Amino acid sequence: VASPAASGAGASPAPESTPYDPATAWVLVAAGDVMLDRGVADEVKNVRNDVDFPFDGGTAEITGRRCCSSLGNPVPVAERTGNEGAVRALFEGADLAISNFENPAPEAFRYHSEGTVFSADPALLATIAHAGIDWVSLANNHIRDFGAQGVLDTIANLSRWGIAHGGAGADLTAARAPTILAVRSTRVGILAYDTIAPSYAAGVDRVGSAEMTEEAVKEDVARARELGAQLVIVFPHWGVEYTTGPSAQQLRLGHAAIDAGADLVIGNHPHWAGAVEIYQGKPIFYALGNLVFDQGWSEPTMEGLTVELTFAGTRLVQVRLRPHLILDRSQPNFLLESGSGEVVMDQVFEASEGFLPW
């Protein structure tokens, strides 16, 4: 849906008083962490033999909770309520769909049944491509799990599938390069960064990820504008796992991104959906949680948010938070916001206390 954009002059965001024009409307769908190894790979390749299974989810209802998971946590019991393919329809129907890719996809991949070193079978990239995801972040604490060659292979394999990407590269310049995409009549720039694994960071002559600093964000947002971006998204990997509130570092870097001229900040890494803040009139989503992941050992790791944002040109006019529950180790299914989705929605709004103007 989104396509690489030619360079051009930037434009200032439309003022709040600009009347809404449906002809300029476009939709961004943003989601959390996608991991295609471990339980996800086993479910897709061995149990289902269906590469499209993760995004075939529809709607679900939580009918109870059982005790307990292997880690001693109560976990939800749910049943599907129909609407198969609703998740795929949302991503496919978006003008721009983005997520975090939480593993390399190297040619010499190796399946991991357990542990926290990941690598995805490159063939499973079809899962993402068929779902209509246009861009993924590679700036995370797993991208160099298979070394420098794993990063380079991942970039090449994503490109073969037509999936744009950012946040990692053959050197620091490539890792920090903004992705510029033409989304209807708007040029969107995306910058991805990691704060979790400094040992995976790119250098002048080193393959790796883009490390997030205030100085880097300021320079890179300006560069994105120079390349014609009319709207700039910063996509950081940050925070503390299994928490909902932003750390002091997240607050500092999120605010710095907006102060540098970014229009929107969308973060991930904690594996829990977390706080939302409106800063200087711009939204910061500190964490969206898991999208396709096998962490079925607690309710917060099984539930997450998909964010649907409607723009009129460069002006954000509507935000919808769509809660989901991951079933069968791999498949998100939407929950009713006022029903079974209340747990994760309440989690997000409790974490957002003091950060929202309402």
Side-chain angles (χ1 to χ4, degrees), residues 258 276 298:
I258 300 298
V276 181
S298 74

Side-chain angles (χ1 to χ4, degrees), residues 218-277:
K218 185 175 181 179
E219 293 175 357
D220 296 347
V221 171
R223 178 59 176 157
R225 298 290 186 190
E226 290 172 2
L227 292 173
Q230 298 164 287
L231 184 139
V232 177
I233 301 168
V234 171
F235 202 95
H237 207 72
W238 59 3
V240 179
E241 288 185 321
Y242 318 124
T243 63
T244 59
S247 67
Q249 181 198 47
Q250 286 175 280
L251 290 169
R252 175 174 55 82
L253 291 174
H255 293 179
I258 300 298
D259 290 339
D263 299 286
L264 178 65
V265 177
I266 303 172
N268 285 295
H269 173 64
H271 300 293
W272 288 11
V276 181
E277 181 180 16

Side-chain angles (χ1 to χ4, degrees), residues 30-107:
D33 297 326
V34 174
M35 190 275 293
L36 301 179
D37 193 5
R38 218 165 54 182
V40 176
D42 183 47
E43 190 73 29
V44 171
K45 297 173 73 172
N46 300 324
V47 177
R48 306 287 169 173
N49 190 27
D50 181 2
V51 73
D52 291 327
F53 178 74
F55 287 92
D56 283 341
T59 54
E61 180 182 7
I62 295 174
T63 57
R65 287 168 178 81
R66 65 174 178 82
C67 186
C68 287
S69 72
S70 59
L71 295 184
N73 300 308
V75 291
V77 176
E79 61 182 27
R80 290 177 171 84
T81 55
N83 303 298
E84 181 178 346
V87 173
R88 180 183 309 282
L90 179 67
F91 283 90
E92 283 187 334
D95 296 287
L96 176 61
I98 65 178
S99 187
N100 173 56
F101 190 57
E102 185 85 341
N103 45 205
E107 293 301 320

Side-chain angles (χ1 to χ4, degrees), residues 73-163:
N73 300 308
V75 291
V77 176
E79 61 182 27
R80 290 177 171 84
T81 55
N83 303 298
E84 181 178 346
V87 173
R88 180 183 309 282
L90 179 67
F91 283 90
E92 283 187 334
D95 296 287
L96 176 61
I98 65 178
S99 187
N100 173 56
F101 190 57
E102 185 85 341
N103 45 205
E107 293 301 320
F109 77 94
R110 184 170 72 250
Y111 169 70
H112 301 85
S113 61
E114 60 184 7
T116 56
V117 173
F118 304 145
S119 65
D121 180 347
L124 294 185
L125 292 175
T127 302
I128 299 172
H130 293 172
I133 293 179
D134 301 291
W135 178 93
V136 295
S137 171
L138 302 180
N140 57 65
N141 59 310
H142 289 285
I143 193 57
R144 267 190 69 114
D145 279 3
F146 265 55
Q149 191 59 50
V151 177
L152 298 177
D153 286 354
T154 303
I155 290 169
N157 287 326
L158 287 166
S159 296
R160 288 191 192 102
W161 280 101
I163 302 167

Side-chain angles (χ1 to χ4, degrees), residues 9 16 18 26 40 44 70 104 191 238 260 263 275 286 292 331 348 354:
E16 290 288 332
T18 303
W26 59 277
V40 176
V44 171
S70 59
L191 295 159
W238 59 3
D263 299 286
Y286 282 101
V292 176
Q331 188 190 78
V348 167

Side-chain angles (χ1 to χ4, degrees), residues 306-345:
T306 302
V307 180
E308 182 182 357
L309 304 115
T310 303
F311 290 86
T314 59
R315 185 164 60 97
L316 180 61
V317 296
Q318 179 173 282
V319 176
R320 180 173 182 184
L321 307 180
R322 291 177 171 266
H324 61 254
L325 173 70
I326 299 171
L327 300 177
D328 296 310
R329 302 183 292 174
S330 60
Q331 188 190 78
N333 287 259
F334 290 132
L335 302 171
L336 285 176
E337 295 94 324
S338 58
S340 297
E342 283 185 332
V343 171
V344 66
M345 296 292 284

